[in-house]
Each structure stands twice: as structure tokens, then as C-alpha cells.
């Protein structure tokens, strides 16, 4: 295994172990066990546990920055479908990305570290602003395609309102998903990849989106 691959695997083991034990309770021994290396070997790639956490945060940032809340062809989607369908589609896509590997572990790690790290607080703030900006694009596209009735001056505040609700619902949704996974750590990979979405929870989320879309008509 190359040095780069080993370093990436150590970060992955950090995320996987922290998912079950929390970052604070995750030791270097736990992380080394997940990669099948000796604890001392971690120091070939990281100066300290703190350095490992810093690099894990950096890796999380890089991954999150690649995520898009909206499809690249949002204009054609907005032109073809009603607002309710468009909004349900992007939220469903966003939720399903977060309930699979590696984003579920990344989300859990970031949320657990947000009170202890300025870097993590910045990651969360940047992600929030990106989500709002992309939602603004969706709303503008829906306005231009005459699918919603919204003053252009209200786009930003409406996007903030919508994204705040989406993030709150995502947090509740993933908390319930994690409760399903925690009793079965030895099966975590298969369980996360193959588990079906919680349809009853999705229905509640869709009901909110329907009311939101109704307000914009």
C-alpha cells in the first residue's frame, strides 16, 4: 500500500471509528486496528492525534466541496416539472447522498466537532452558504419558468428559510438512521449501502415541501 493510500485509509478509519465511538473516544489504537497496521505506524503519516484530526477535517472539507445540492441541468428540470416536483427531487437527492458512505460518517464527524474546532465551524458555514446559493438558483429558475410567484428581492430570504428547514430535517433523519446502524457495527458497510430509505420520514419531508411550494404559487 502506498503512503498516500495508507494515509487516506487512516483518515477513513478515523471517520468510521468516530461514527461509533465519537471522535473524543477514538484512540489511535482503534484507528490502527481499522487499517490493520500497528499504532506506531500512524506516526509515519501524522505527527500527532491532533494532526490526524486536522487532516481528517481537511479531507472532509474537500469531499463536501464537491457536493452539489442541485443537478447541473436545473434550468431544463425547472422548465419541465412543477415547483413541488423540482424541490422534492433535489431534497430527496440531498438526503440520499447523506445516508450513504462516506457522507454519513463525514456528516457525523463534522457535527460532533463543530463546538471544538474553528476549522469545522468554517466548513459548516461554507456548506450552509453554498446550499443557500444553490437554492437561490433553483428559485430563480422556477421564477423564470413561471412555476412560482416570488419577488426576486425575496429569493435570498426564502432560500435561507427553506435551507434551514432542510438542514433541521436532515439532522433528525440521519439521527434516526444512525440509531438503526449503531447496534450492528460489524455490518456497518453493507447496512449503510444497502439499507432502504425511511419512506415514512421521507413522506413527512415531502409534506413540508408541498406546503412550501403552495406558499410560492
Amino acid at each position: 500500500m502506498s503512503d498516500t493510500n495508507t494515509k487516506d485509509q487512516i483518515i477513513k478509519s478515523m471517520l468510521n471509528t468516530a461514527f461509533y465511538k465519537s471522535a473524543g473516544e477514538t484512540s489511535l489504537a482503534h484507528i490502527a486496528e481499522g487499517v490493520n497496521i500497528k499504532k506506531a505506524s500512524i506516526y509515519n503519516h501524522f505527527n500527532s492525534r491532533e494532526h490526524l484530526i486536522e487532516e481528517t477535517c481537511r479531507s472532509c472539507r474537500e469531499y463536501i466541496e464537491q457536493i452539489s445540492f442541485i443537478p447541473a441541468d436545473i434550468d431544463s428540470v425547472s422548465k419541465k416539472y412543477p415547483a413541488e416536483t423540482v424541490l422534492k427531487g433535489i431534497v430527496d437527492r440531498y438526503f440520499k447522498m447523506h445516508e450513504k458512505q462516506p457522507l454519513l460518517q463525514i456528516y457525523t464527524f463534522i457535527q460532533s466537532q463543530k463546538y471544538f474546532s474553528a476549522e469545522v465551524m468554517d466548513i459548516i458555514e461554507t456548506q450552509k452558504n453554498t446550499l443557500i446559493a444553490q437554492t437561490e438558483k433553483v428559485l430563480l429558475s422556477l421564477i423564470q419558468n413561471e412555476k412560482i410567484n416570488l419577488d426576486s428581492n425575496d429569493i435570498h430570504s426564502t432560500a435561507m428559510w427553506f435551507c434551514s428547514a432542510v438542514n433541521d430535517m436532515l439532522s433528525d433523519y440521519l439521527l434516526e438512521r444512525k440509531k438503526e446502524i449503531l447496534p450492528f457495527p460489524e455490518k456497518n458497510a453493507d447496512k449503510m449501502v444497502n439499507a432502504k430509505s425511511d419512506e415514512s420520514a421521507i413522506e413527512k419531508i415531502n409534506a413540508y415541501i408541498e406546503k412550501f411550494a403552495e406558499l410560492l404559487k
Side-chain angles (χ1 to χ4, degrees), residues 117 132 136 140 167 217:
S117 167
I132 291 171
E136 289 176 357
L140 180 59
N167 279 325
K217 289 183 179 179

Side-chain angles (χ1 to χ4, degrees), residues 111-130:
Q111 290 300 315
S112 71
Q113 292 294 108
K114 65 183 178 183
Y115 297 109
F116 309 103
S117 167
E119 169 76 7
V120 169
M121 285 190 285
D122 184 63
I123 291 172
I124 292 173
E125 184 68 16
T126 300
Q127 184 186 28
K128 182 186 76 173
N129 291 334
T130 299

Side-chain angles (χ1 to χ4, degrees), residues 1-16 35 45-46 52 55-56 58-59 62:
M1 187 182 294
S2 70
D3 285 348
T4 301
N5 285 339
T6 301
K7 184 176 181 179
D8 289 343
Q9 288 300 313
I10 291 171
I11 290 174
K12 181 179 179 181
S13 180
M14 172 72 190
L15 290 170
N16 285 338
V35 192
H45 307 276
F46 303 95
L52 170 56
E55 287 297 293
T56 301
R58 180 194 58 77
S59 177
E62 290 178 355

